[in-house]
Amino acid sequence: MKTIVWAVIVAGLAVFAYANWFRIDVMIWSDVVLNTPLPMIILSSFLLGFAPMWLFHRAARWRLKRRIGALESSQRSLIAAREQELEEDRSRFVPEEERPTLP
């Protein structure tokens, strides 16, 4: 389903680019005029707006994955310490011959 949606979007963009492939003049400075196709200007505008937010998203995701990893490792160490503590308590109160064996 995801592939179909992307194929429809790409096809729509290709039709738009083909129908609007004419050159326009863009004045960058008073003496610099850029003559480019309209779809290229639209694409570059989109990428200039999209790139900072995408980079922010990737950085936030990386930071959260590191945080989750740290929390998971601390939880594992707490569980191991608790199991060791319980094992020591059991060995203190239950004689060796009466301890159940695990399969």
Side-chain angles (χ1 to χ4, degrees), residues 59-79:
R61 226 175 130 185
W62 174 74
R63 199 170 46 246
L64 289 173
K65 281 186 178 182
R66 286 189 54 192
R67 190 181 212 182
I68 289 170
L71 289 171
E72 286 175 344
S73 70
S74 68
Q75 183 183 18
R76 279 192 297 268
S77 66
L78 285 173
I79 289 171

Side-chain angles (χ1 to χ4, degrees), residues 22-42:
F22 53 89
R23 295 176 123 11
I24 59 171
D25 293 332
V26 178
M27 185 180 298
I28 298 176
W29 291 286
S30 60
D31 58 340
V32 178
V33 176
L34 188 63
N35 188 359
T36 60
L38 179 64
M40 293 301 144
I41 292 174
I42 293 172

Side-chain angles (χ1 to χ4, degrees), residues 80-92:
R82 180 68 178 149
E83 286 176 354
Q84 184 180 5
E85 186 180 296
L86 287 174
E87 209 37 60
E88 289 172 0
D89 287 345
R90 275 192 219 124
S91 66
R92 238 184 309 160

